[in-house]
Amino acid sequence: MSINVQSCLIIGGGISGLIAGNILQKKGKIVTILDKGRGIGGRLATRRIHDSDQITGVFDYGMQFFTVTDPLFQEWVDQWLLEGVITEWPNQLSEGQTPCYRGKNSNRSLGQYLAENLEIHRQTRAVSLKSHDSGWTVETETGQSFQADSLMLTPPVPQSLSLLETSNLALPSLIKSRLEEVTYYPCLTLLALLEGSSLIAEPGWLTPKDSPVAAIACNQKKGISPQGCAVTIHSTPEFSEAYWDRDQAVIAETLLNAASNWLGSTVLDYQVHRWRYSHPKTVYGEELLVLENPGLLVFAGDAFSDAPANNIHLTLEKAVLSGIKAANYLLH
Ligand SMILES: Cc1cc2nc3c(=O)[nH]c(=O)nc-3n(C[C@H](O)[C@H](O)[C@H](O)COP(=O)(O)OP(=O)(O)OC[C@H]3O[C@@H](n4cnc5c(N)ncnc54)[C@H](O)[C@@H]3O)c2cc1C
């Protein structure tokens, strides 16, 4: 039986929401995306740090690169390559997965490309979801309200659950407990702007062993930060948990010490970003979750997968596939 959806409100402008939005809009549906962030793309995140001498460092500080296993995702990837939005990044992965892809100008630019023709409201945090006869009304923290006949939730699952709870929307108990079992790794990430070049070898990516540092990327060698040597240091989940509440100066000092062999230059400036939900530790177990009561509600995002969460570089693929699945459900 078809469900005849005309419009969809998507909470979250990360890759899953953007992919779903593109598919729905191409089929003539009215799509509105709300995102609490300043930039678009969610965990496809890029930031600039300017030093006092006007040197700018460009940092990809969320997802670093992704790999592809699914032919459906490969079709999107081929199109992005053709359009020059992404490029290969020749990292050697121990798992033997190749190729590795990243945003050509930055990872955020992939999000911006996908956002081009969509109606997106940035810095717009959804705080209340209300279902009624003709669909959903979503209210935001600035008092705006948006309506559509279907709703898609794409934030990390704990954030979606808390939004449902503050909206007094009860989920069937089995589904609620399965959603509560979805967990994510935290990741403390250090963005360090260096005075000179880093010692990280081409292509600008390494994963130290026995260190609080899980991975280091040199954004200059990567080609996205020509002016300043911008180094992104991702810490391990163990370090992130242990140091989560520590002062940022302590986090920075510990990570800079651990990474000192690969820096080789004075740190001009740094910032710490705390990713509470970096990538899933446990997934929902299915690519699609749809609730028809009290209104049509679809979940999407990197936790909606039936594949185990054992490879970080396949996480973006999960988010994309779940966005495709969620959109296709609303189109059937
Ligand atoms: C440090 C780090 C490293 C990573 N490395 C890799 C990697 O190497 N390879 C890989 O494949 N993947 C990696 N990932 C994971 C990958 O980035 C994610 O799987 C993917 O980007 C998730 O997309 P998404 O759309 O599911 O969620 P998100 O990108 O999180 O999008 C959800 C959006 O919802 C918005 N939102 C939340 N609550 C609200 C609200 N109430 N109102 C409005 N908006 C709201 C958020 O602002 C966000 O933009 C990494 C992630 C991090 C953080």
Side-chain angles (χ1 to χ4, degrees), residues 12 15-16 35-36 42-43 62 65 126 278 301-302 312-313 315-316:
I15 196 150
S16 58
D35 197 290
K36 65 181 168 66
R43 283 172 271 165
F65 61 89
S278 149
D302 57 2
I312 188 172
H313 304 303
T315 319
L316 193 87

Side-chain angles (χ1 to χ4, degrees), residues 50 81 146 199 231 233 235 267 273 278 283 288-289 298 302 307:
H50 306 279
L81 283 167
F146 296 87
L199 301 177
V231 172
I233 303 175
S235 61
V267 177
H273 187 85
S278 149
V283 292
L288 189 62
L289 171 58
V298 186
D302 57 2

Side-chain angles (χ1 to χ4, degrees), residues 11-18 34-37 39-44 61-67 124-127 154-156 159-160 163 187 189 205 234 275 277-280 300-303 311-320 322:
I11 311 297
I15 196 150
S16 58
L18 294 171
L34 311 183
D35 197 290
K36 65 181 168 66
I40 203 69
R43 283 172 271 165
L44 286 175
Y61 66 100
M63 187 213 68
Q64 289 299 324
F65 61 89
F66 60 90
T67 54
T124 304
R125 181 192 291 269
V127 291
T154 74
Q159 293 180 335
S160 290
L163 187 53
C187 183
T189 298
W205 169 260
H234 291 304
W275 292 104
Y277 307 111
S278 149
H279 59 287
D302 57 2
N311 182 335
I312 188 172
H313 304 303
L314 285 172
T315 319
L316 193 87
E317 176 173 89
K318 290 190 171 82
V320 169
S322 117

Side-chain angles (χ1 to χ4, degrees), residues 3-10 24 28-32 134-136 146-152 296 330-331:
I3 51 173
N4 197 24
V5 161
Q6 296 309 317
S7 56
C8 184
L9 261 171
I10 301 178
L24 289 167
K29 308 302 173 192
I30 301 165
V31 173
T32 311
S134 52
W136 291 91
F146 296 87
Q147 297 201 352
D149 51 28
S150 64
L151 178 65
M152 188 180 300
L296 187 54
L330 295 178
L331 291 172

